[in-house]
Amino acid sequence: MKYAYFPGCSLKGTGKAYEESLLPVMKHLGVEMQELDDWNCCGATAYMAVDEGKACAAAARNLAIAEKSGLQQVLAPCSACYLVLNKTQHYLHEYPGMRQTVARALETVGLRCEGTSAVRHPLDILLNDIGLEAVKQKVTRPLKGLKVAPYYGCQIVRPYATFDDQTNPTTMDRLLEALGATVVKWPLKTKCCGGSLTGTLPEAGLRLSYILLKEAIKRGADVIATVCPLCQFNLDAYHPKISARWEPVPIPTVYFSQLMGLAFGLPDNQVVLHRGMIPMKPLAAPAPAAAAAR
Amino acid sequence: MSKPKVAFYWCASCGGCEETVVDLAEDILGVVEKVDIVLWPVAMDFKYKDVAALPDKSIFATLLNGAIRMSEQEELAVLLRRKSQYLIAYGACAQLGGIPALANQFSREQVLKFNYEDCPALANEAKTRPQAQFTEAGRTPHLSQLHHVVRTLDQVVDVDFYIPGCPPTPNLTKAAFEALLSGKLPPKGAVLAPDIALCDECERKATKPTDVAFTEFKRPHQGLWDSGKCFLAQGVVCMGPATRSGCGAACTSGNMPCTGCFGPTSRVRDQGAKMLSSLCSNVAAKDVAGIQQALAGIPDPVGTFYRYGLAKSLLRRRVDLPA
Amino acid sequence: MTKPWTPRIVAFFCNWCTYTAADLAGVSRLKYASNVRVIRLMCSGRVDPQFILDALARGADGVLIGGCHPGDCHYVEGNYKMLRRFELLKRMLVDFGIEPQRVRLEWISAAEGEKVKTVINEMTQQLQALGPLGMPQKFTAWDQELEHLAQAVQARDAAAGPCPTHAAPSPTPEVVHV
Amino acid sequence: MSAKKEELRIGFYVCHCGHNIASMVDCVAVARSVEKLPGVALARDYKYMCSDPGQVLIQQDIREHKLNRIVVASCSPLLHEHTFRGATEAGGLNPFYFHMVNIREHDSWVHTDRQEATEKAKALAEAAIRRVAHHKALEIKKVPIHPDVLVVGGGIAGIHAAMTLANAGKKVYLVEREPSIGGHMAKFDKTFPTLDCAACILTPKMSEVGSHPNITLWTYSDVTKVDGYVGNYTVQVKRKARYIIEDLCTGCQDCIPNCVFKEPKFTDDFNEGLGKRKPVYIPFPQATPQVVVIDPEVCLNFKRGKNPDGSPIVSDKCKKTCVEACGEKNAIDFTQKDELKEIKVGNIIVCTGFKTFDAGRVPAYGYGTYKNVYTSLEIERLVNASGPTGGEVILREGKNPDGSPKTPKSIGIIHCVGSRDKKTNIWCSRVCCMYSMKLAHLLKEHTDAELYNFYIDMRTPGKGYEEFYNKLLEEGTHFIRGRVGEVTDWAMTPEEEGKLVIRVEDTLAGVVRRIPVDMVVLATGLEPQADAGDVRRLFNMSCGGDGWFLERHPKLAPVNTFTDGVFLAGCCQGPKDIPDTVAQAGAAAAEAMVLIDRGYVEQEPNTAFILDQECSGCKSCIPLCPYTAILFDEERKKAYINEALCKGCGTCVGACPSSSIVQNLFEDSEIFSEIEGVLSYD
């Protein structure tokens, strides 16, 4: 299995831990990810709000490069990238006007976007292409006893329900269970993390982060697992402020891929748990018998 | 008193129809006794100018076989029409276009190119093609030219009667002569054969089940066929149900399926469409894939359903060819 | 004033589903291209492939057949029979040089007025892009070679002078048409 | 050719239909264009052809102008062909010398360019003119109607239709798949807006059905096959084994307390799973017939698994205390098998009802996740005195400090769950606003809780309905306008702890609100039955895109289907309340009686026949006929059609390879001339 890999800016910056953990995990599962040559900004959600035409053109350039590469599947781990690329794909198919605008823009750089490639999320690929059975077979250190709150955020399920339910997604739940973890009942799976409001309107934005963290602790979670660099950042970076404004809610937030690496027994530098600001408690050592059996 | 004048002529045909006239055997004597033959290129030496010299309508009946494929054939058809009281399309080619009309699937250029350049059995390095005219030693002979379209006789001139078949049977020919000479004629435009499909006289009819459901189709060379059983019951396309009878089921008696040379019954406008309809309706499958699989046994529907009737079909010819 | 060319579609709709759906489209005041002319039959199974070829030969640029959805035929299975004919006819028409988009089979239930609209509009658009099939015009064009020849022969004969008419006319037996 | 061909004199009429046609089609131009066609004796345009003067005009013209063919260009033949055939006949012509052109539904109503619409009308008219020249005089066949009626479904619609017919002296078979009739209505506590007790008004009707001499009641039965046509249907009914001989069971129910299971422990469907029942049970106290039923899935006297014929395997391992209790009545029969019955009826009324929307499909509302989220039907049972709690409203989860079950102090009712929602069902289920208010009233009465209704729009069109809404407002029930976003258990304040929080945008106040409640009621919408598709096929009906059975005409034939002799009543046709259901059931019964009392149906003479001289006996047509109407005469080696069995689809005609089959009204020559006609415009 080979996918075109669109990292986007976050995975090279604030969300470095996502890339650092996802790449080895995928490799471990025999998935080949070929980073797109000369990719550019996906346009992100902000650009879409300013100028849809230009935003689509920017995103479509990446799709065009993917088409040119001959790889029909584009793997976009960042939620914002995933949404924007998908949205562009939808616009190209549904609005002839947009198709023209984009075609004209791409023509100037000698590219064409037919809109034929599929934009895929890692969860989608793990569940539907690789399958949980294959994942389970790679688990050498089951996350027994680890209580995880699966946090999907908004962008991978809204507005497009591409591979999971919009209000109650379950793909990550099933993945975490396959890793041996306990998934806590957590009705805030797709609630807002505060998004960019944490920076612009902290009272509103941080409050949303605070609710998520508080509810996760209340429901007995040891850790929050996320799929989105912005969610991870919001839930991880503002503890001092939240603590000052409301109460301390010390719970770590990590990428699901980090938990996978952990369960696969990958080396620490591929699990990169040290990148989090709230440290995750070490797992209980595996029972000697179980360890011997491996 | 002089005897009625009769002409035989051939256009684009194989000569088989002429054989039928000969196949009348001793009966031909009876015919010859009652008529004067004024034109019969295959057997006797007359010149066109002799015909041209005849007064209009002075020939009692002309039996013309072959499709109209060349300019010369058309010219003669027009001439003979003018000279004849009755013009009879004799045989499948004159009636329906016949085998020559299968060329209506190709353009004139394709036909010429294949026959004078690409045909594997050909030695024509100069790629010489027939010319309409050329000058040699100060003389300029004109040659007949290939038309773009192969036509039935009635697509060129008015036709009074049709005698079907590839070739027509001696019996039908004899009966037609008798009718002509006795004056007991059906209405103009009639086909001088029974107006009922071939199954009526096919001995295999009784073996066709009433619940046929096709799962596959076979072509005659793809198997050995039960010589007593309906071909359709064996999955072999037999045009009998869509073809006029009158041949005495000659092909099925010889263990070959009917290929449709007698053309459709009078009620049908397009023989191929009707045969297609009948066969397909009785395919067993209900899903597109299953249907396509069953019908894959008919790889060339045009050649199968319009083997003789393409020129006379509703579309006449492949539609995207030049005129 | 010459009107710009627009395609002509002859439609054969079954009485129970598609014709009723077209009535529903009317009752719902849906708007669609006026290029289609509907002929009502009781069942899509009645659609004789001759009708389709005849329509094309007489100047239709496309033929649309509408029947009940598979399993819903008012006459149990008439629509399957049409589907089977359609599958081979489509292939045969390609051999005749006719684009497959020109003949279309659609399952439209009595409730799908909206589908009548979309299918007709879509087909009109497709045919517009394909351009006219124009069989009657083609027939005329094909037969021009006959006229050219006739003119040439006439000219030649005229040059050669009148036909000698010395031969006696053939005796004609009395004709009784039976 | 027989007699000399009669000269063609066609009369053509184009109808303005007020402005319906005339506004988009130049009717005068159409008449002028048709006038010039060969065979046309006169062409007129007229305001309303279907009116009496319009019809009289045709009749007069036939006489005065010696017309022998009539063409009317107006609306759909499905609407008025009958009318104009009548006028043609009244004028002294055979009615089949008439043909109709649809220039309203197929032209003026669907096009926007007057010139194009007029051209189209001309072409369609020319096609009809050419076609009608080929028409032949035909005779209408009259087929007698079997006077018995089948009513499918024993809810309030089926009960009312069956009673209406039976009281008029007609014999009725009422087939119900559950062990008792009563349907959804039997589960309701009270009915809106009058708040009369559902059982009080329904059960007398139920027992009347059970004892009516003209009604054969078959419960626990399925219709498995329907053959035939209007007036002459042959129906196969499967009477499922209930392991009780109905005639011997007196309804004493002694077997139930004596079952080896001392406590009821199996899900009680009638109580929406809120209660339990035993393997031998009666669905509810007023069940009709008063006959118990044994569930072989859980009864100990059966083994798991099935016999080769699909019936359960009797183990005979149980002590059979029930048989002992039944005693001499001997009504219990463990060897009973499904039984197939065949009946003949002339008409069928389909009243198969609805199912409620599966609330689990909207995960945001927490049904199945939070125990104290209920569906409306569960509440109906909960507030019902004969329900699983005896009418006491207690929560599924949570106890009082003393260990007793908790009663809700605050209740939220969420409207439009599975209705008016693109993600689930787009239609309005029509009854939810009203029943939600009814439940609000009943819940308040039972618990004195704070009641909140969350609605998108209040829809109360009905006699006394708006008044009921006003009454609720006065009672102090809160109405909050807004579609609820979610039901959740995460608390933001101490007051919310331990409660269900309803998050909603209050669109009147313009704020997002969080309302903590103890109980959430989801007003689930109505959906077509899960097997509506199979039922539709069984009775040869149509379904709308939404899955409800389709009536022949939404206004003029609301209980008819496209199949003659099959009628609809109740929610199987679309959501409706009890008054409308009963009205529709009465209408369906009346429609059936129209046919029964007339005694015969007229059959469209569009049957096919084989030209005997021309048939070669190729047998291609024989397997094509779904009605086995085509037979082979072995002696003459030709096929022939049994006209009585032919339904007139024309499939054999389309397939006859030598065109030796002719379909009346749809002859090849008629259709070819129509093709020529529609393509005649420039």
Side-chain angles (χ1 to χ4, degrees), chain D residues 248-469:
Chain D
L248 300 180
C249 177
T250 60
C252 69
Q253 300 178 32
D254 284 349
C255 47
I256 301 176
N258 283 298
C259 175
V260 292
F261 284 95
K262 285 299 156 221
E263 290 301 321
K265 57 178 290 197
F266 304 105
T267 307
D268 175 3
D269 292 331
F270 185 80
N271 278 320
E272 294 297 302
L274 293 173
K276 302 282 182 205
R277 63 158 168 81
K278 292 187 178 182
V280 57
Y281 66 102
I282 191 149
F284 55 103
Q286 306 91 335
T288 304
Q290 281 283 308
V291 175
V292 296
V293 54
I294 291 174
D295 179 356
E297 296 283 314
V298 293
C299 172
L300 286 186
N301 206 36
F302 290 98
K303 276 197 264 189
R304 303 292 81 91
K306 302 268 183 191
N307 283 319
D309 67 352
S311 63
I313 304 165
V314 182
S315 70
D316 270 332
K317 289 262 170 70
C318 182
K319 280 188 278 179
K320 294 191 274 266
T321 41
C322 54
V323 178
E324 238 165 78
C326 192
E328 282 179 2
K329 289 180 292 255
N330 267 326
I332 300 177
D333 176 9
F334 286 107
T335 64
Q336 205 175 47
K337 290 253 155 61
D338 293 352
E339 190 187 355
L340 290 179
K341 297 264 193 188
E342 199 176 272
I343 53 173
K344 291 210 178 291
V345 295
N347 289 284
I348 298 171
I349 301 177
V350 177
C351 324
T352 48
F354 65 95
K355 77 172 168 66
T356 48
F357 176 77
D358 169 13
R361 282 172 58 196
V362 187
Y365 292 168
Y367 184 77
T369 311
Y370 305 122
K371 284 193 160 172
N372 288 339
V373 178
Y374 292 78
T375 67
S376 46
L377 212 48
E378 286 172 339
I379 299 297
E380 292 280 2
R381 296 312 300 154
L382 210 53
V383 295
N384 194 302
S386 64
T389 58
E392 208 185 330
V393 178
I394 46 174
L395 290 168
R396 266 195 278 239
E397 192 176 53
K399 300 269 185 214
N400 287 320
D402 66 355
S404 62
K406 221 168 157 179
T407 305
K409 298 270 178 295
S410 51
I411 303 170
I413 303 179
I414 301 176
H415 292 213
C416 297
V417 179
S419 304
R420 305 184 68 198
D421 179 359
K422 273 190 182 166
K423 287 184 195 144
T424 55
N425 298 321
I426 56 162
W427 59 83
C428 166
S429 293
R430 282 188 63 189
V431 290
C432 321
C433 282
M434 286 305 293
Y435 82 55
S436 295
M437 288 195 291
K438 173 191 78 180
L439 292 178
H441 172 86
L442 295 174
L443 285 167
K444 201 167 182 68
E445 209 174 62
H446 280 65
T447 64
D448 205 27
E450 279 300 309
L451 255 297
Y452 301 88
N453 271 277
F454 300 90
Y455 67 98
I456 314 178
D457 296 292
M458 284 308 292
R459 296 190 165 177
T460 57
K463 205 171 180 182
Y465 289 12
E466 186 69 9
E467 293 87 330
F468 189 73
Y469 178 27

Side-chain angles (χ1 to χ4, degrees), chain B residues 2 52-53 55 58 74-75 85-86 148 151 183 185 269-270 274 281 283 285-286 292 295 298 317 319, chain C residues 48 50 77 84-85 87 91 95-96 138 142-143 145 149 156 163-164 167 170-172 175-178:
Chain B
S2 62
S58 62
E74 182 197 335
E75 224 177 296
Q85 288 168 43
Y86 292 109
H148 287 282
R151 292 183 174 78
L185 288 164
R269 295 196 184 195
D270 191 292
K274 284 259 69 164
S281 301
V283 164
K286 288 184 185 178
Q292 285 177 344
L295 294 173
I298 306 176
R317 168 181 197 230
V319 305
Chain C
D48 187 331
Q50 290 189 108
E77 301 205 324
R84 295 170 190 150
R85 295 170 197 158
E87 284 303 320
R91 181 144 62 84
D95 291 350
F96 266 109
K138 286 203 164 93
W142 293 348
D143 284 346
E145 61 185 1
L149 183 70
R156 200 187 56 207
C163 237
S170 171
T172 317
V175 175
V176 190
H177 285 288
V178 288

Side-chain angles (χ1 to χ4, degrees), chain B residues 60 67 88 102 104 123 128 142 190 222 225 234 261 280 287 294 315:
Chain B
F60 172 57
I88 294 155
L102 286 171
N104 276 355
T128 310
H142 293 260
Q222 288 172 317
W225 311 113
Q234 301 181 65
C261 72
C280 295
D287 59 304
L315 296 175

Side-chain angles (χ1 to χ4, degrees), chain B residues 161-195:
Chain B
F161 299 108
Y162 302 85
I163 302 176
C166 181
T169 63
N171 281 348
L172 287 179
T173 309
K174 207 177 116 193
F177 268 112
E178 277 165 9
L180 278 169
L181 294 173
S182 67
K184 288 181 183 152
L185 288 164
K188 186 178 167 189
V191 178
L192 305 180
D195 199 4

Side-chain angles (χ1 to χ4, degrees), chain D residues 366-589:
Chain D
Y367 184 77
T369 311
Y370 305 122
K371 284 193 160 172
N372 288 339
V373 178
Y374 292 78
T375 67
S376 46
L377 212 48
E378 286 172 339
I379 299 297
E380 292 280 2
R381 296 312 300 154
L382 210 53
V383 295
N384 194 302
S386 64
T389 58
E392 208 185 330
V393 178
I394 46 174
L395 290 168
R396 266 195 278 239
E397 192 176 53
K399 300 269 185 214
N400 287 320
D402 66 355
S404 62
K406 221 168 157 179
T407 305
K409 298 270 178 295
S410 51
I411 303 170
I413 303 179
I414 301 176
H415 292 213
C416 297
V417 179
S419 304
R420 305 184 68 198
D421 179 359
K422 273 190 182 166
K423 287 184 195 144
T424 55
N425 298 321
I426 56 162
W427 59 83
C428 166
S429 293
R430 282 188 63 189
V431 290
C432 321
C433 282
M434 286 305 293
Y435 82 55
S436 295
M437 288 195 291
K438 173 191 78 180
L439 292 178
H441 172 86
L442 295 174
L443 285 167
K444 201 167 182 68
E445 209 174 62
H446 280 65
T447 64
D448 205 27
E450 279 300 309
L451 255 297
Y452 301 88
N453 271 277
F454 300 90
Y455 67 98
I456 314 178
D457 296 292
M458 284 308 292
R459 296 190 165 177
T460 57
K463 205 171 180 182
Y465 289 12
E466 186 69 9
E467 293 87 330
F468 189 73
Y469 178 27
N470 286 330
K471 174 182 148 96
L472 261 283
L473 287 168
E474 278 161 23
E475 278 180 11
T477 298
H478 306 287
F479 285 88
I480 295 168
R481 185 170 176 275
R483 185 183 270 288
V484 169
E486 68 173 339
V487 174
T488 181
D489 67 347
W490 55 275
M492 285 188 53
T493 59
E495 302 84 70
E496 289 178 4
E497 291 293 344
K499 302 245 180 189
L500 291 170
V501 179
I502 294 173
R503 298 211 320 142
V504 61
E505 182 189 359
D506 182 334
T507 56
L508 293 180
V511 292
V512 175
R513 298 177 67 173
R514 292 173 63 92
I515 296 180
V517 292
D518 295 324
M519 175 189 248
V520 172
V521 181
L522 303 180
T524 47
L526 274 49
E527 274 188 344
Q529 291 274 20
D531 60 352
D534 301 332
V535 174
R536 175 178 66 80
R537 255 171 238 129
L538 196 58
F539 296 102
N540 207 349
M541 301 184 289
S542 299
C543 270
D546 41 21
W548 303 106
F549 297 150
L550 200 64
E551 64 283 352
R552 178 173 280 193
H553 192 280
K555 296 171 185 69
L556 301 177
V559 299
N560 301 64
T561 66
F562 288 97
T563 304
D564 290 330
V566 175
F567 304 97
L568 296 171
C571 286
C572 62
Q573 180 258 348
K576 57 181 63 68
D577 56 17
I578 294 168
D580 285 4
T581 297
V582 170
Q584 219 184 18

Side-chain angles (χ1 to χ4, degrees), chain B residues 32 43 106 112 172 241 257:
Chain B
V32 169
F106 310 98
L112 289 173
L172 287 179

Side-chain angles (χ1 to χ4, degrees), chain C residues 1 11 17 37 91 102 109 130 132-133 135 137 163 172:
Chain C
M1 186 191 83
C17 288
R37 312 287 189 250
R91 181 144 62 84
R102 292 200 188 269
S109 82
L130 284 179
L133 178 63
M135 288 311 296
Q137 293 77 4
C163 237
T172 317

Side-chain angles (χ1 to χ4, degrees), chain C residues 8-30:
Chain C
R8 302 172 175 205
I9 304 171
V10 174
F12 298 98
F13 283 176
C14 84
N15 182 64
W16 302 99
C17 288
T18 314
Y19 193 89
T20 311
D23 275 4
L24 176 65
V27 173
S28 319
R29 307 297 200 279
L30 305 177

